[in-house]
Amino acid sequence: MNSHPLSDYLALALTEEKALEGITLRKTPIADLHLPTGKLVASDCLAFFEPQPFATSFPCGTFPVTVTVAHDHNDQRIAFATIRFRDSTPVTWEMLMFEGEEAGDLVDGEISGYGVDSGAGCFIDASAAKVLARKLDKDEEFFHEILETLEKTYVPTWGWLNMPFGKGNLVAFSSGMGDGVYASYAGFDSNGSISVVVTDFSILPHGADGDHLP
């Protein structure tokens, strides 16, 4: 997972603005994520039946979330969602695995990611995800409130929201072209500390040097 093409590709999520062939990428700050336990969940923002955090432990605290939007003529799609843990430069990347998974279980070309059926993904602390899951279980109409909140920031064709749950919060965002399976990656700096987490929504089909992602 530390290949040069992957590093170059994910580095696109960290640039303020970059012009590619036919596409302009622009990074936009959307919210601060509260992680009281350091257990991070990335998921479809409406699918919280059994919130599954990543196996990796993250720093506790409050961290900025940005989205990198790909502008293509009249279309706008979120290509990456990023949490910045430290103001340092990632030098290696690892695909994040969910608790109970092992990287060795993946075959060549397979990713560990979360499925999206609602057209939106999210970041949320595991403790807050349990609060949200209980809310969705008790109130069948609550998902309409989430969708309505997402609509408040909507610009064709993406939006985002920030809602408190317990001691944490839900930071949700449109997922690229919509439904699919999306992987997240941790970027480690030269000291071996986690600098960022990036979810890739598969808008850009090639790595920065023209090779396909692994």
Side-chain angles (χ1 to χ4, degrees), residues 65-80:
V65 176
T66 61
V67 292
T68 299
V69 181
H71 297 255
D72 181 7
H73 302 295
N74 294 324
D75 193 36
Q76 300 180 31
R77 302 284 175 170
I78 294 178
F80 305 104

Side-chain angles (χ1 to χ4, degrees), residues 14-121:
L14 310 180
T15 59
E16 294 296 327
E17 183 169 329
K18 187 174 181 66
L20 302 174
E21 185 175 353
I23 295 175
T24 299
L25 298 177
R26 294 192 182 98
K27 188 171 70 171
T28 300
I30 57 171
D32 288 333
L33 178 68
H34 305 300
L35 282 179
T37 71
K39 283 292 186 180
L40 176 65
V41 173
S43 175
D44 184 316
C45 71
L46 294 174
F48 277 94
F49 305 105
E50 294 183 6
Q52 188 72 11
F54 292 120
T56 301
S57 294
F58 296 90
C60 298
T62 298
F63 307 99
V65 176
T66 61
V67 292
T68 299
V69 181
H71 297 255
D72 181 7
H73 302 295
N74 294 324
D75 193 36
Q76 300 180 31
R77 302 284 175 170
I78 294 178
F80 305 104
T82 302
I83 309 171
R84 172 63 79 170
F85 289 97
R86 289 178 176 83
D87 189 18
S88 58
T89 301
V91 295
T92 60
W93 295 86
E94 293 182 4
M95 184 185 297
L96 289 170
M97 310 297 292
F98 296 102
E99 289 186 349
E101 289 184 327
E102 296 290 341
D105 296 336
L106 300 177
V107 300
D108 289 345
E110 186 179 11
I111 65 171
S112 173
Y114 65 86
V116 172
D117 292 318
S118 70

Side-chain angles (χ1 to χ4, degrees), residues 2 32 36 82 111 125 153 175 180 186 188 202:
N2 298 330
D32 288 333
T82 302
I111 65 171
D125 187 87
T153 63
S175 52
F188 295 83
S202 301

Side-chain angles (χ1 to χ4, degrees), residues 93-168:
W93 295 86
E94 293 182 4
M95 184 185 297
L96 289 170
M97 310 297 292
F98 296 102
E99 289 186 349
E101 289 184 327
E102 296 290 341
D105 296 336
L106 300 177
V107 300
D108 289 345
E110 186 179 11
I111 65 171
S112 173
Y114 65 86
V116 172
D117 292 318
S118 70
C122 74
F123 294 130
I124 188 171
D125 187 87
S127 64
K130 291 178 181 178
V131 176
L132 173 55
R134 290 194 295 268
K135 180 69 174 178
L136 288 168
D137 184 56
K138 292 179 180 179
D139 184 355
E140 295 182 356
E141 298 302 313
F142 185 65
F143 75 94
H144 289 299
E145 184 174 336
I146 294 178
L147 292 176
E148 289 170 3
T149 304
L150 196 61
E151 284 286 332
K152 292 179 181 179
T153 63
Y154 186 80
V155 293
T157 47
W158 66 279
W160 61 274
L161 65 79
N162 178 17
M163 299 178 70
F165 290 97
K167 295 182 179 180

